[in-house]
Amino acid sequence: MSKQKLADGLPSRRSDCPIAAALDLVGDKWSLLLIRDIGLLDKHRNKDFQSASEAIPSNILADRLKRMTAYGLLEKRPYQDRPPRYEYHLTRQGRELLPVLRKLALWSEKNLAGVKIPRAAKAPTQDRDVD
Amino acid sequence: MSKQKLADGLPSRRSDCPIAAALDLVGDKWSLLLIRDIGLLDKHRNKDFQSASEAIPSNILADRLKRMTAYGLLEKRPYQDRPPRYEYHLTRQGRELLPVLRKLALWSEKNLAGVKIPRAAKAPTQDRDVD
DNA sequence: TCTGACACTTGTAAAACGCAAGTGACTTGG
DNA sequence: CCAAGTCACTTGCGTTTTACAAGTGTCAGA
């Protein structure tokens, strides 16, 4: 799965448009939802992601974690030795996607019927999100 | 193509998360690029979209235009009678996605090597984009 | 030793995508 | 009037990606 160049580095870009370039990395059905889980919902481990309300398939989950780690958006960090277990955190690059997600959430709240942003959504921590 | 409920109205949402809800509408490889074409690059007609640097397949293009129109993000407006021809414009809802795109573009410029936002990108017109 | 938790991996079917070619309405040049 | 061209799709079909279910390996704890 994911025939795209993973081992090496980034995927080849469709164009030099910044929007297209970003979508080449996270423009699919699940990636931004994982960024949300990690950055806004404080989920970090495989089972946490599976328990999200959207039920991502486990193979897709594994693939996306692998990909986004390769892209430099996530960092895989061990939290115990035996059995070896890892949790996923946002890199600076990944963290800086959070303002985009917030914008998107605001759009939904304003434009989609019955959508409310939960107050639970963790407020910005380190990153000043003035814009 | 696009077996998803189109005729009726919106697709069923994966969850009540605002981010997931938005991605249910535009969380694919092409939709946001079309929003970009229309809202930032002033493209409005089928051939304009095909001439974009990313070469979207014509059947996918037709499907996305149809879908996003059904979702209320685009408006199909006739510009001549014979032969009947239409051009696509953003609705208010669609236009309000532009700030999201700008955020994303800023992210790319800052975080992806060699990506520059072209000055050509039309500045915000009607919509005050203070945030 | 047995059971369960956890983090994946594998197999296979279903869906979406991408490419090339085709269609229909109409205009324009000859 | 007719042939050729433009435009906006549509169709067929092979490829790729997704999704769902089940399986695997490692290890802790009872």
Side-chain angles (χ1 to χ4, degrees), chain A residues 19-99:
Chain A
I19 297 171
L23 292 178
D24 282 340
L25 301 185
V26 295
D28 71 282
K29 189 173 170 182
W30 295 107
S31 294
L32 287 177
L33 250 36
L34 291 174
I35 300 279
R36 171 204 64 177
D37 284 349
I38 301 176
L40 300 176
L41 303 179
D42 206 40
K43 294 169 184 278
H44 297 278
R45 303 179 182 180
N46 199 299
K47 73 164 160 28
D48 298 330
F49 302 134
Q50 303 236 34
S51 74
S53 50
E54 292 92 4
I56 182 173
S58 62
N59 54 343
I60 303 293
L61 170 60
D63 179 71
R64 293 302 181 278
L65 291 173
K66 203 175 297 180
R67 274 179 42 172
M68 294 204 292
T69 301
Y71 293 166
L73 303 176
L74 304 185
E75 174 199 356
K76 186 178 186 175
R77 161 192 316 174
Y79 67 88
Q80 72 175 33
D81 274 357
R82 310 190 17 268
R85 290 285 182 263
Y86 303 88
E87 52 187 20
Y88 296 86
H89 290 264
L90 297 178
T91 60
R92 185 187 54 73
Q93 281 192 46
R95 197 161 40 245
E96 290 185 350
L97 276 171
L98 296 180

Side-chain angles (χ1 to χ4, degrees), chain B residues 27-46:
Chain B
D28 70 281
K29 189 173 171 182
W30 296 107
S31 294
L32 288 177
L33 250 36
L34 290 175
I35 300 279
R36 171 204 65 177
D37 283 349
I38 301 176
L40 300 176
L41 303 180
D42 206 39
K43 295 170 184 278
H44 298 279
R45 304 178 181 180
N46 199 300

Side-chain angles (χ1 to χ4, degrees), chain B residues 68-83:
Chain B
M68 294 203 292
T69 300
Y71 294 165
L73 303 176
L74 302 185
E75 174 199 356
K76 187 179 187 175
R77 160 192 319 175
Y79 68 87
Q80 72 174 33
D81 274 356
R82 309 186 22 268

